């Protein structure tokens, strides 16, 4: 009897486990939680995201605003009051926002300021989807709904019965303009507020139509009522009012432009016209499903599917479109570089220090046509400002290190991007590699780097070792692009040699990368657990692996594969100790490493994210399979605290999505992806060229995380990498998964992924 009972329990457990598996996703947008990552704050990031109500790569996003005007944490999950619904272009709270204004419905007495007009809300009465947002504002008895387009949006406010229903339009406090035109049921204006500048001729113009006669109209400077219906002030706002019946729905059609009010009107008519709210909502949903369906997952848990598509949602925002389409159908943009209105594409809102690693590789694989537009936008950045950006928000932002535009430009062309002026972009790379530009463009310390082979520690250039390591990889990217373009060997050889500069910072005594003084001696005393200083938001244990293009060269420096693997293993076994003296406080990136329970592994920040894949270069791919699955399981889930650090413009999400597919772009400016192990039983990737990549792992499970064998198009495959060019032809990858590691597969030297040292 006991055996029969145990057998029945086993069957029921197996059935329950099977029932939890998602067999097919037909409506991927409904699996997304836009609140993933929103339970964050200054000293601990679980993503530092906000619910972006928008379409993929749209020029404008909308978000409920819980933070005060100018606060980068514009929406946080733990807040309980909303003070407006804000048009935003914010890439991260650390960069803050630009081109923002807010709309807020309210009832009762007229309330203009954020503190006065705010209302209690509950997540129980909140619906957040990429294409639709709804929330009940308890203090006003009003429900707000939003549906987006690329440059426009529709609002639907459901009011109670009252003769005191209002809407405030807040153009914010850096110089703004507003005008109410009751006869046309229209409000126009602009906001000049931005966080990163200077920006010449910057205005975000807006036009708003309401479908109900305006019976009250007022304009305010701060909270002071002004005469008339038009105002230019430091902080201009407007209030419109009317009577409403119980359950009456009042609609707003809203659009904005960086060019003019007239252009905002053109975008409104083109994108919304006479469409009703529900049609706009459905249209946005259709766009999302079409974009998301390029990746179809099967055979994962409900939570894994939610996390996968929530990460994919974050990857489809940045950089966002800054270009507009005029009345003649021509593509135009306001230039953040010179303040002029010019023809052509423009994008903004990304930091290459983050996104060169996996976000841009993902675009090149799955959405190359949008990246072609982005490359054309980079050409305009260079022509209009003289430099390629390293952080655009929306112009040149003076943050982070490296010259990683070299990777973004080179990779796009090397992976098949065509139809744009690559010659100009190549010249932009040479210019950036040999000059120190404004606002983090070019290379800080370039003269030292080109003459000594590194940026010295003792010449008052901060984060010098990080700069050196990233410049070396960027030189590799330039070398590869130059070769592909048929540039003379005398030119490309310069960058190939400089790409080996990482060797100048390797300290054989510690087996780690270390700052070096101008006289050639290593910086001393050396604490490998010290964050910042010679490194960027990390320590030597994190940055030692930043040799993306020549892992074999790093293996050689460390004394061979065994010592290399031992060093990799140390990351997981060392205690999470740290020295925060460079910052004078425990920055959130440090705290996130400390509490993760994964030793010195700091997945919440970008420098170490590729490190889990490096075991493949040393013949132990099973350790990559082990650790990658651990990171996916522990560091990601679809809840408001679902990330383990800053999400950062799609990069941390791209790590998850690539890893779930079973491979990762350790060296973006190469043809290869390094293998891990897939998360789902099946993923179908439909490429833009119509070819299909099918990734099967039928016996995949929480226990079966190791790759026993792999076939590609039916043939046994032992390499620890996949070819981008081969994937573009369509492939079927069949993974045979196992609960025990296969310690023989993939350990031959010929199976190792690309390294420059092995290039013939």
């Amino acid at each position: 009897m006991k055996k029969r009972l145990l057998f029945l329990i086993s069957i029921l457990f197996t059935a329950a486990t099977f029932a939890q598996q998602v067999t097919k996703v037909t409506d991927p947008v409904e699996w997304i939680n836009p609140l993933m990552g929103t339970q964050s704050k200054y000293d601990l990031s679980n993503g530092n995201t906000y619910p972006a109500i928008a379409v993929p790569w749209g020029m404008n996003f909308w978000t409920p605003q819980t933070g005060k005007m100018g606060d980068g944490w514009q929406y946080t999950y733990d807040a309980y009051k909303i003070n407006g619904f804000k048009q935003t272009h914010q890439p991260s709270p650390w960069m803050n926002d630009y081109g923002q204004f807010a709309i807020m419905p309210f009832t009762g007495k007229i309330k203009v300021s954020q503190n006065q007009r705010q209302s209690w809300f509950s997540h129980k009465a909140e619906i957040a989807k990429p294409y639709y947002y709804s929330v009940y504002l308890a203090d006003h008895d009003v429900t707000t709904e939003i549906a987006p387009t690329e440059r426009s949006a529709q609002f639907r406010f459901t009011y109670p019965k009252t003769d005191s229903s209002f809407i405030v339009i807040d153009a914010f406090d850096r110089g703004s303009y507003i005008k109410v035109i009751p006869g046309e049921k229209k409000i126009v204006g602009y906001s000049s507020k931005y966080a990163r500048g200077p920006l010449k001729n910057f205005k975000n113009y807006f036009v708003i139509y309401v479908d109900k006669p305006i019976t009250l109209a007022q304009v305010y400077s701060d909270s002071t009522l002004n005469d008339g219906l038009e105002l230019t002030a430091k902080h201009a706002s407007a209030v419109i009012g009317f009577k409403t019946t119980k359950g009456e729905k009042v609609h707003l059609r809203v659009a904005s432009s960086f060019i003019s009010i007239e252009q905002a009107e053109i975008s409104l008519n083109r994108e919304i016209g006479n469409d009703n709210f529900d049609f706009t909502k459905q249209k946005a949903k259709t766009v999302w499903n079409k974009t998301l369906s390029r990746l179809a997952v099967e055979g994962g848990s409900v939570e894994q599917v939610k996390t996968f598509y929530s990460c994919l949602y974050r990857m489809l925002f940045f950089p966002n479109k800054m270009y507009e389409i005029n009345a003649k159908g021509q593509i135009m943009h306001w230039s953040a570089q010179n303040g002029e209105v010019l023809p052509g594409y423009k994008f903004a809102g990304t930091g290459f220090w983050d996104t060169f690693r996996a976000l841009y590789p993902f675009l090149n694989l799955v959405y190359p046509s949008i990246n072609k537009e982005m490359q054309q936008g980079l050409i305009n950045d260079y022509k209009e400002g003289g430099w390629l950006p390293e952080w655009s928000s929306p112009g040149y932002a003076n943050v982070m290190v490296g010259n990683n535009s070299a990777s973004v430009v080179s990779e796009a062309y090397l992976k098949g991007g065509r139809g744009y002026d690559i010659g100009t972009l190549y010249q932009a790379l040479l210019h950036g590699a040999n000059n120190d530009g404004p606002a983090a463009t070019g290379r800080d310390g370039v003269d030292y780097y080109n003459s000594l082979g590194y940026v010295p520690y003792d010449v008052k250039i901060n984060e010098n070792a990080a700069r050196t390591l990233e410049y070396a990889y960027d030189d590799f990217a330039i070398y590869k692009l130059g070769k592909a373009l048929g540039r003379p060997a005398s030119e490309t050889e310069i960058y190939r040699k400089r790409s080996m500069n990482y060797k100048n910072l390797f300290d054989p005594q510690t087996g780690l990368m270390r700052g070096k003084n101008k006289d050639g001696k290593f910086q001393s005393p050396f604490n490998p657990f010290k964050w910042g200083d010679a490194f960027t938001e990390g320590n030597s244990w994190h940055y030692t692996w930043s040799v993306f293009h020549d892992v074999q060269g790093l293996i050689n420096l460390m004394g061979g594969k065994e010592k290399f693997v031992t060093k990799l293993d140390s990351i997981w076994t060392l205690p999470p100790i740290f020295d925060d003296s460079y910052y004078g406080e425990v920055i959130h990136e440090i705290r996130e490493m400390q509490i993760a329970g994964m030793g010195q592994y700091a997945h919440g920040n970008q420098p170490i994210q590729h490190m889990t894949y490096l075991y493949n270069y040393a013949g132990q791919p099973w350790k990559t399979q082990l650790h990658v699955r651990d990171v996916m399981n522990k560091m990601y889930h679809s809840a408001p605290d679902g990330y383990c650090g800053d999400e950062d413009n799609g990069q941390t999400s791209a790590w998850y999505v690539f890893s779930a597919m079973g491979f990762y772009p350790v060296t973006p400016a190469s043809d290869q992806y390094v293998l891990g192990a897939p998360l789902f039983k099946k993923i179908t990737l439909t490429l833009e060229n119509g070819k299909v990549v099918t990734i099967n792992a039928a016996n995949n499970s929480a226990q079966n995380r190791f790759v026993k064998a792999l076939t590609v198009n039916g043939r046994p495959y032992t390499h620890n990498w996949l070819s981008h060019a081969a994937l573009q032809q369509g492939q079927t990858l069949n993974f045979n998964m196992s609960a025990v590691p296969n310690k023989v597969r993939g350990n031959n030297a010929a199976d190792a992924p690309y390294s420059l040292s092995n290039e013939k």
Side-chain angles (χ1 to χ4, degrees):
M1 184 68 184
K2 182 183 281 188
K3 288 182 179 179
R4 286 181 61 193
L5 185 61
L6 288 171
F7 179 68
L8 283 171
I9 291 171
S10 174
I11 290 175
L12 289 170
F13 177 78
T14 303
T17 303
F18 180 77
Q20 292 173 356
Q21 294 283 298
V22 177
T23 56
K24 191 173 183 181
V25 174
T26 56
D27 205 4
V29 73
E30 297 300 337
W31 292 83
I32 291 167
N33 180 15
L35 302 183
M36 178 178 172
T38 60
Q39 194 171 10
S40 299
K41 54 185 179 179
Y42 172 86
D43 49 359
L44 184 68
S45 173
N46 288 308
N48 266 335
T49 63
Y50 56 87
I53 314 306
V55 295
W57 305 292
M59 190 174 88
N60 301 328
F61 312 154
W62 290 90
T63 191
Q65 184 177 359
T66 64
K68 295 179 180 179
M69 186 189 316
D71 185 352
W73 284 263
Q74 54 191 2
Y75 177 99
T76 52
Y77 189 81
D78 291 336
Y80 49 84
K81 290 183 179 180
I82 287 173
N83 61 56
F85 300 93
K86 178 183 175 186
Q87 187 188 93
T88 179
H89 305 92
Q90 179 171 294
S92 85
W94 308 106
M95 301 303 293
N96 215 298
D97 210 347
Y98 59 91
Q100 64 266 53
F101 63 96
I103 297 169
M104 180 70 176
F106 63 96
T107 57
K109 295 181 180 179
I110 292 179
K111 314 171 190 76
V112 179
S113 72
Q114 286 183 319
N115 287 342
Q116 291 176 323
R117 71 193 189 219
Q118 67 184 349
S119 170
W120 281 79
F121 81 105
S122 167
H123 297 298
K124 299 177 181 67
E126 180 186 41
I127 300 170
K129 298 181 181 294
Y131 62 90
Y132 171 73
Y133 181 83
S134 173
V135 69
Y136 176 65
L137 302 172
D139 289 322
H140 306 310
D141 193 19
V142 174
T143 297
T144 293
E145 300 171 272
I146 308 171
T149 72
E150 281 193 345
R151 299 166 189 85
S152 309
Q154 292 219 52
F155 282 72
R156 183 162 64 192
F157 300 131
T158 303
Y159 283 96
K161 180 181 179 180
T162 176
D163 59 1
S164 302
S165 288
F166 303 101
I167 301 169
V168 60
I169 299 95
D170 189 339
F172 285 14
D173 64 349
R174 196 188 171 106
S176 45
Y177 164 77
I178 206 151
K179 181 180 181 180
V180 184
I181 311 169
E184 299 181 40
K185 296 185 286 188
K186 178 179 180 180
I187 304 98
V188 299
Y190 64 73
S191 169
S192 299
K193 191 172 179 66
Y194 62 82
R196 300 276 177 171
L199 299 175
K200 188 177 181 181
N201 300 330
F202 176 76
K203 292 182 175 68
N204 187 34
Y205 300 92
F206 57 82
V207 57
I208 303 170
Y209 285 93
V210 59
D211 70 344
K212 185 176 177 65
I214 297 170
T215 58
L216 177 143
Q218 298 175 345
V219 296
Y220 289 81
S221 175
D222 284 326
S223 297
T224 302
L225 178 63
N226 278 242
D227 294 332
L229 297 179
E230 184 175 14
L231 178 66
T232 302
K234 180 184 177 184
H235 182 187
S237 301
V239 173
I240 60 172
F242 28 71
K243 293 181 179 180
T244 54
T245 58
K246 181 176 175 59
E248 182 174 354
K249 291 175 170 53
V250 177
H251 297 82
L252 267 60
R253 295 182 300 127
V254 186
S256 71
S257 167
F258 295 108
I259 296 173
S260 67
I261 290 172
E262 293 75 20
Q263 179 59 45
E265 190 103 38
I266 290 167
S267 294
L268 182 64
N269 290 330
R270 175 179 284 110
E271 296 183 7
I272 293 179
N274 295 318
D275 295 346
N276 64 30
F277 181 92
D278 290 324
F279 187 82
T280 297
K281 173 184 171 183
Q282 183 58 47
K283 193 163 65 172
K285 179 177 180 178
T286 299
V287 169
W288 271 109
N289 272 335
K290 181 180 179 182
T291 310
L292 294 165
S293 64
R294 302 289 289 283
L295 282 165
V297 301
E298 304 173 39
S301 70
V302 169
E303 177 56 33
Q304 287 168 338
V305 175
K306 285 182 177 179
T307 303
F308 181 88
Y309 282 110
S310 296
C311 285
L312 184 54
Y313 152 82
R314 287 287 164 200
M315 295 164 63
L316 303 182
F317 283 131
F318 298 107
N320 59 292
K321 295 176 180 177
M322 285 281 288
Y323 68 81
E324 305 172 50
I325 304 169
N326 68 14
K328 296 179 180 179
Q330 299 166 324
I331 293 170
M332 306 291 293
H333 66 268
W334 165 81
S335 172
Q337 280 70 39
N338 63 20
E340 298 177 18
V341 175
L342 297 164
Y345 291 99
K346 182 72 77 168
F347 287 77
T350 192
F352 294 157
W353 184 83
D354 305 292
T355 53
F356 87 86
R357 303 165 194 268
L359 189 277
Y360 277 94
F362 188 81
L363 296 178
N364 285 315
L365 177 63
V366 186
Y367 305 102
S369 61
I370 192 69
N371 199 21
K372 177 182 174 181
E373 290 186 11
M374 293 171 185
Q375 298 298 314
Q376 291 171 298
L378 289 174
I379 293 169
N380 289 327
D381 290 340
Y382 177 60
K383 288 181 175 179
E384 294 157 20
W387 302 87
L388 292 176
E390 299 300 332
W391 235 114
S392 59
S393 189
Y396 300 128
N398 192 20
V399 289
M400 306 313 291
V401 304
N403 180 219
N404 299 308
S405 55
S407 183
V408 171
V409 167
S410 299
E411 186 204 358
Y413 186 83
L414 292 166
K415 288 181 177 170
R418 297 295 185 271
Y420 54 92
D421 184 2
I422 188 62
T424 293
L425 282 175
Y426 181 71
Q427 292 304 316
L429 297 191
L430 298 187
H431 175 66
N434 292 286
N435 294 280
D436 183 357
T441 60
R443 296 185 177 182
D444 196 1
V446 64
D447 292 337
Y448 292 113
Y449 176 82
N450 288 352
S451 61
L452 298 176
Y454 60 94
V455 180
Y457 179 88
D458 58 346
V459 295
K460 298 184 178 179
I461 297 176
N462 63 352
E463 302 168 22
N464 37 82
R467 295 180 194 276
T468 299
L469 294 169
E470 292 190 27
Y471 294 166
Y473 165 69
D474 299 330
D475 283 331
F476 165 80
I478 295 171
Y479 158 68
K480 295 296 283 187
L481 179 59
K483 283 191 69 175
L485 294 175
R487 302 295 296 183
S490 59
E491 179 179 278
T492 59
E493 187 64 13
I494 293 170
Y495 297 96
R496 190 196 67 79
K497 288 181 178 178
R498 287 181 185 169
S499 75
M500 292 295 180
N501 282 345
Y502 72 88
K503 295 181 180 181
N504 295 325
L505 295 190
F506 183 78
D507 172 20
Q509 183 177 352
T510 61
L512 296 168
M513 296 294 177
R514 183 172 175 180
K516 182 177 280 188
N517 292 330
K518 187 179 177 182
D519 64 5
K521 295 178 181 178
F522 282 112
Q523 170 266 332
S524 186
F526 173 58
N527 181 356
F529 301 105
K530 185 175 184 179
W531 282 61
D533 198 21
F535 302 99
T536 301
E537 295 179 2
N539 62 33
S540 181
W541 279 105
H542 306 145
Y543 253 95
T544 289
W545 317 104
S546 292
V547 187
F548 311 95
H549 57 296
D550 194 23
V551 179
Q552 183 59 52
L554 184 60
I555 291 171
N556 296 341
L557 289 175
M558 288 188 175
K561 292 179 180 180
E562 288 188 14
K563 290 183 178 179
F564 179 79
V565 168
T566 298
K567 208 76 170 180
L568 285 172
D569 289 343
S570 298
I571 292 287
W572 312 100
T573 57
L574 284 166
I577 58 176
F578 57 86
D579 175 352
D580 65 351
S581 59
Y582 176 77
Y583 298 105
E585 64 174 334
V586 180
I587 62 173
H588 75 92
E589 291 91 348
I590 295 176
R591 187 69 71 205
E592 288 141 18
M593 179 201 74
Q594 182 196 28
I595 65 177
M598 301 186 88
Q600 282 290 318
Y601 185 71
H603 191 80
N605 211 19
Q606 282 66 41
I608 203 171
Q609 287 180 352
H610 68 295
M611 165 260 166
T612 48
Y613 284 88
L614 300 189
Y615 290 101
N616 285 279
Y617 296 77
Q620 296 192 27
W622 62 273
K623 286 189 176 178
T624 287
Q625 298 153 22
L626 172 72
H627 292 299
V628 167
R629 183 70 68 92
D630 270 350
V631 174
M632 284 195 282
N633 288 344
K634 294 177 181 178
M635 300 287 105
Y636 293 82
H637 59 116
S638 66
D641 65 342
Y643 291 105
C644 55
D646 286 345
E647 197 286 316
D648 279 332
N649 315 125
Q651 165 56 31
T652 298
S653 292
W655 186 95
Y656 184 91
V657 170
F658 262 124
S659 296
M661 293 165 67
F663 51 90
Y664 186 80
V666 170
T667 315
S670 76
D671 178 64
Q672 293 184 0
Y673 305 95
V674 179
L675 278 169
L679 181 64
F680 296 91
K681 294 183 183 297
K682 184 177 181 180
I683 295 183
T684 304
L685 166 60
T686 303
L687 300 172
E688 271 190 4
N689 63 11
K691 303 290 186 179
V692 175
V693 178
T694 305
I695 304 164
N696 294 311
N699 59 340
N700 207 349
S701 69
Q703 293 74 33
N704 293 350
R705 63 170 63 183
F706 298 104
V707 179
K708 183 177 181 180
L710 169 63
T711 65
V712 176
N713 293 340
R715 297 179 178 178
Y717 190 87
T718 62
H719 297 325
N720 297 331
W721 52 270
L722 298 172
S723 161
H724 175 84
L727 288 174
Q728 290 295 308
Q729 301 305 309
Q731 287 191 328
T732 298
L733 282 62
N734 286 320
F735 288 85
N736 183 4
M737 306 298 290
S738 171
V740 295
N742 181 347
K743 297 184 179 182
V744 177
R745 186 197 165 276
N747 60 6
N748 292 323
D751 294 324
Y754 171 89
S755 286
L756 181 56
S757 287
N758 293 334
E759 188 176 272
K760 295 179 182 178

